[in-house]
């Protein structure tokens, strides 16, 4: 029978038959892959640890379970401070943590996460996705056998919990302060005795007075760690982390060996998580802050003169690190240029609108 006289139902059946034959063939060509992902965060940090779980679930669903990523919390399979080494050595295929863990290898790593007086979360995301940061860092990370995908942002962090209010720069002298990253370098320059206490040990450090103060992240996570039990002065803002970008770290050889379709799925899943993490913080931080204040937390802004002195110290640190490390200089120069352009735009539209809305809220 000529094709033009075939009933429509027959043509549909033929098409369905072709699709039915093609689907199993595609499934058979998709390999089964089993990866391990070590999170740099404890399970009780639901947003941060949950980011890795969300990625794993999305990848499994998109591949009908053929690409499985098993997630472990900090310390379960890999110690948090050894996470990048473990990924580089293929002890695990993936990790989830801020790039500050790589500062000991190359100080430029810190700039992939956050720097004092750097970009806010929106700016950091724009710089990575559209401003050339991904290309700048790909070479630096490759030297360590790593590749990376953005994996969420905490937003601007709080300044942390203090037993005594910081009123002048002199109050920082000898202060036993838990802080990490480039923020620790700047605060040490201002006279603080900085300590890189792991998250789960911060409360104990404050209670035992091994610490006078500690910064962690923000209201939601700080409350979950119970930091409000050991100190009452809650300073803001965390000028050392205006928008901390997290990354999913991937062993470079494992990434190259992954089918292109699976690479695309992993990129899409990471992009989804990158959006989800900050949305969760923005949704949960307001209520957590209300609970903390109701429970006795005393909100205190850092004095303007402290911010100005810290700004000066931060720029001195960047000049020094740029002189010592060409990678740091190359990335920092690009970041500074992008930051200045971003804040020009924010000043014109974003701040004007935000400041009006803050005043409007006060009027009810």
């Amino acid at each position: 029978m000529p094709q033009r006289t075939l009933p429509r139902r027959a043509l549909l059946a033929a098409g369905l038959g072709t699709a039915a034959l093609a689907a199993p063939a595609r499934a058979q060509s998709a390999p089964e892959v089993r990866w391990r992902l070590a999170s740099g965060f404890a399970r009780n940090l639901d947003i941060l640890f949950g980011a890795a779980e969300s990625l794993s679930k999305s990848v499994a669903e998109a591949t009908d379970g053929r690409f499985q990523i098993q997630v472990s919390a900090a310390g379960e399979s890999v110690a948090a401070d050894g996470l990048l080494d473990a990924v580089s050595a293929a002890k695990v295929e993936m990790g989830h943590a801020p790039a500050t863990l790589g500062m000991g290898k190359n100080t430029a790593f810190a700039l992939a996460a956050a720097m004092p007086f750097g970009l806010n979360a929106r700016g950091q995301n724009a710089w990575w996705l559209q401003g050339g940061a991904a290309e700048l860092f790909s070479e630096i990370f490759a030297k360590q056998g790593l590749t990376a995908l953005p994996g969420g942002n905490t937003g601007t962090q709080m300044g942390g919990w203090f037993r005594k209010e910081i009123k002048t720069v002199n109050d920082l002298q000898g202060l036993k302060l838990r802080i990490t990253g480039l923020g620790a370098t700047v605060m040490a320059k201002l006279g603080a005795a900085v300590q890189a206490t792991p998250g789960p040990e911060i409360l104990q450090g404050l209670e035992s007075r091994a610490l006078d103060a500690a910064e962690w992240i923000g209201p939601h996570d700080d409350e979950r760690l119970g930091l409000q039990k050991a100190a009452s002065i809650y300073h803001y803002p965390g000028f050392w982390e205006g928008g901390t970008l997290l990354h999913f770290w991937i062993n470079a050889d494992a990434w190259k060996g992954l089918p292109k379709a699976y690479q695309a799925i992993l990129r899409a899943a990471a992009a989804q998580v990158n959006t989800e993490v900050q949305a969760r913080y923005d949704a949960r931080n307001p209520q957590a802050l209300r609970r903390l204040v109701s429970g006795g937390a005393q909100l205190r802004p850092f004095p303007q003169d402290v911010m100005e002195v810290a700004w000066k110290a931060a720029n001195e640190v960047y000049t020094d690190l740029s002189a010592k490390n060409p990678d740091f200089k190359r990335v920092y120069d690009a970041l500074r240029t992008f930051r200045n352009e971003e804040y020009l735009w924010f000043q014109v539209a974003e701040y004007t609108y935000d400041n009006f809305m803050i005043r409007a809220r006060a009027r009810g």
Side-chain angles (χ1 to χ4, degrees), residues 140-204:
I140 295 171
F141 295 161
K143 293 176 185 177
Q144 305 298 329
L146 299 166
T147 189
L149 299 172
N153 199 304
T154 66
T156 302
Q157 298 191 5
M158 291 292 283
W161 298 88
F162 294 69
R163 278 199 289 272
K164 293 182 180 180
E165 184 177 353
I166 301 300
K167 296 181 179 180
T168 72
V169 175
N170 290 335
D171 293 329
L172 296 174
Q173 298 301 311
L175 185 79
K176 293 177 288 187
L177 172 65
R178 185 275 173 194
I179 186 171
T180 61
L182 287 172
T185 307
V186 172
M187 296 304 275
K189 190 175 181 67
L190 296 179
V194 301
Q195 301 180 32
T197 308
E201 300 174 19
I202 295 175
L203 178 58
Q204 180 183 354

Side-chain angles (χ1 to χ4, degrees), residues 7-257:
R8 177 175 175 78
R9 187 169 19 180
L11 291 172
L12 287 173
L16 288 173
T18 302
L21 288 172
R26 285 196 299 270
Q28 290 169 8
S29 65
E32 291 192 0
V33 176
R34 299 291 182 267
W35 275 15
R36 299 150 297 175
L37 189 160
S39 172
F41 307 103
R43 290 181 181 272
N44 66 326
L45 296 172
D46 59 335
I47 297 178
L48 293 173
F49 179 75
E53 291 185 310
S54 182
L55 178 99
S56 174
K57 181 180 178 182
S58 294
V59 168
E61 288 178 350
T63 61
D64 291 328
R66 299 187 74 82
F67 187 2
Q68 295 280 343
I69 300 175
Q70 181 182 0
V71 178
S72 61
E76 291 181 357
S77 62
V78 173
D81 58 3
L83 189 148
L84 294 188
D85 286 336
V87 176
S88 179
K91 293 180 180 178
V92 292
E93 288 77 16
M94 290 188 70
H96 184 235
T100 46
L101 290 180
M103 281 184 65
K105 300 178 183 301
N106 188 328
T107 52
F109 266 68
L111 300 176
M115 72 175 196
F117 304 104
L119 291 159
N120 64 11
R122 280 184 56 185
Q124 191 81 330
N125 207 42
W127 183 50
W128 189 273
L129 297 176
Q130 296 293 319
E135 293 74 18
L136 281 171
F137 281 110
S138 63
E139 179 183 343
I140 295 171
F141 295 161
K143 293 176 185 177
Q144 305 298 329
L146 299 166
T147 189
L149 299 172
N153 199 304
T154 66
T156 302
Q157 298 191 5
M158 291 292 283
W161 298 88
F162 294 69
R163 278 199 289 272
K164 293 182 180 180
E165 184 177 353
I166 301 300
K167 296 181 179 180
T168 72
V169 175
N170 290 335
D171 293 329
L172 296 174
Q173 298 301 311
L175 185 79
K176 293 177 288 187
L177 172 65
R178 185 275 173 194
I179 186 171
T180 61
L182 287 172
T185 307
V186 172
M187 296 304 275
K189 190 175 181 67
L190 296 179
V194 301
Q195 301 180 32
T197 308
E201 300 174 19
I202 295 175
L203 178 58
Q204 180 183 354
L206 287 169
E207 290 177 332
S208 68
R209 297 188 175 268
L211 294 172
D212 298 318
E215 62 82 35
W216 179 232
I217 296 173
H220 178 74
D221 285 335
D222 291 4
E223 183 183 41
R224 293 184 78 86
L225 289 188
L227 303 186
Q228 71 279 6
K229 300 173 185 176
S232 61
I233 304 299
Y234 202 17
H235 271 298
Y236 65 91
F239 54 81
W240 43 82
E241 292 185 279
T244 303
L245 180 62
L246 308 170
H247 285 87
F248 287 109
W249 301 95
I250 307 171
N251 176 274
D253 290 335
W255 173 256
K256 292 174 184 176

